mmCIF file of all heavy atoms in Angstrom:
data_model
loop_
_atom_site.group_PDB
_atom_site.id
_atom_site.type_symbol
_atom_site.label_atom_id
_atom_site.label_comp_id
_atom_site.label_asym_id
_atom_site.label_seq_id
_atom_site.Cartn_x
_atom_site.Cartn_y
_atom_site.Cartn_z
ATOM 1 N N ALA A 53 95.731 86.181 115.296
ATOM 2 C CA ALA A 53 96.032 85.679 116.650
ATOM 3 C C ALA A 53 95.721 84.185 116.727
ATOM 4 O O ALA A 53 94.844 83.684 116.030
ATOM 5 C CB ALA A 53 95.183 86.431 117.673
ATOM 6 N N GLY A 54 96.497 83.483 117.537
ATOM 7 C CA GLY A 54 96.217 82.063 117.758
ATOM 8 C C GLY A 54 96.913 81.133 116.782
ATOM 9 O O GLY A 54 96.865 79.916 116.952
ATOM 10 N N LEU A 55 97.561 81.668 115.771
ATOM 11 C CA LEU A 55 98.289 80.800 114.825
ATOM 12 C C LEU A 55 99.608 80.397 115.481
ATOM 13 O O LEU A 55 100.147 81.150 116.306
ATOM 14 C CB LEU A 55 98.526 81.533 113.495
ATOM 15 C CG LEU A 55 97.247 81.934 112.759
ATOM 16 C CD1 LEU A 55 97.569 82.764 111.520
ATOM 17 C CD2 LEU A 55 96.451 80.685 112.365
ATOM 18 N N PRO A 56 100.155 79.223 115.122
ATOM 19 C CA PRO A 56 101.379 78.775 115.799
ATOM 20 C C PRO A 56 102.517 79.783 115.638
ATOM 21 O O PRO A 56 102.816 80.207 114.515
ATOM 22 C CB PRO A 56 101.727 77.462 115.069
ATOM 23 C CG PRO A 56 100.525 77.097 114.288
ATOM 24 C CD PRO A 56 99.672 78.295 114.112
ATOM 25 N N GLU A 57 103.139 80.165 116.767
ATOM 26 C CA GLU A 57 104.229 81.163 116.720
ATOM 27 C C GLU A 57 105.418 80.660 115.913
ATOM 28 O O GLU A 57 106.166 81.430 115.332
ATOM 29 C CB GLU A 57 104.690 81.499 118.137
ATOM 30 C CG GLU A 57 103.786 82.507 118.809
ATOM 31 C CD GLU A 57 104.188 82.771 120.250
ATOM 32 O OE1 GLU A 57 105.372 82.595 120.584
ATOM 33 O OE2 GLU A 57 103.289 83.140 121.024
ATOM 34 N N SER A 58 105.588 79.345 115.879
ATOM 35 C CA SER A 58 106.708 78.776 115.114
ATOM 36 C C SER A 58 106.474 78.945 113.613
ATOM 37 O O SER A 58 107.396 78.855 112.820
ATOM 38 C CB SER A 58 106.843 77.294 115.427
ATOM 39 O OG SER A 58 105.611 76.649 115.131
ATOM 40 N N GLN A 59 105.233 79.212 113.225
ATOM 41 C CA GLN A 59 104.931 79.307 111.794
ATOM 42 C C GLN A 59 104.643 80.721 111.315
ATOM 43 O O GLN A 59 104.958 81.077 110.173
ATOM 44 C CB GLN A 59 103.728 78.415 111.463
ATOM 45 C CG GLN A 59 103.603 78.158 109.979
ATOM 46 C CD GLN A 59 102.324 77.447 109.594
ATOM 47 O OE1 GLN A 59 101.519 77.074 110.448
ATOM 48 N NE2 GLN A 59 102.124 77.271 108.294
ATOM 49 N N VAL A 60 104.039 81.548 112.175
ATOM 50 C CA VAL A 60 103.641 82.890 111.737
ATOM 51 C C VAL A 60 104.227 83.936 112.676
ATOM 52 O O VAL A 60 104.004 83.898 113.883
ATOM 53 C CB VAL A 60 102.093 83.028 111.706
ATOM 54 C CG1 VAL A 60 101.693 84.432 111.292
ATOM 55 C CG2 VAL A 60 101.481 82.007 110.762
ATOM 56 N N GLU A 61 105.001 84.854 112.085
ATOM 57 C CA GLU A 61 105.648 85.904 112.881
ATOM 58 C C GLU A 61 105.168 87.258 112.361
ATOM 59 O O GLU A 61 105.036 87.439 111.144
ATOM 60 C CB GLU A 61 107.161 85.771 112.659
ATOM 61 C CG GLU A 61 108.004 86.803 113.377
ATOM 62 C CD GLU A 61 109.437 86.831 112.814
ATOM 63 O OE1 GLU A 61 109.779 85.964 111.994
ATOM 64 O OE2 GLU A 61 110.180 87.743 113.185
ATOM 65 N N LEU A 62 104.895 88.190 113.273
ATOM 66 C CA LEU A 62 104.456 89.528 112.855
ATOM 67 C C LEU A 62 105.571 90.547 113.050
ATOM 68 O O LEU A 62 106.119 90.674 114.143
ATOM 69 C CB LEU A 62 103.229 89.956 113.685
ATOM 70 C CG LEU A 62 102.777 91.422 113.516
ATOM 71 C CD1 LEU A 62 102.394 91.732 112.070
ATOM 72 C CD2 LEU A 62 101.603 91.735 114.456
ATOM 73 N N VAL A 63 105.903 91.264 111.960
ATOM 74 C CA VAL A 63 106.808 92.410 112.056
ATOM 75 C C VAL A 63 105.964 93.647 111.783
ATOM 76 O O VAL A 63 105.340 93.756 110.714
ATOM 77 C CB VAL A 63 107.951 92.320 111.010
ATOM 78 C CG1 VAL A 63 108.824 93.566 111.063
ATOM 79 C CG2 VAL A 63 108.770 91.062 111.224
#
Side-chain angles (χ1 to χ4, degrees):
L55 298 175
E57 279 176 26
S58 57
Q59 196 188 357
V60 178
E61 178 195 352
L62 171 60
V63 176

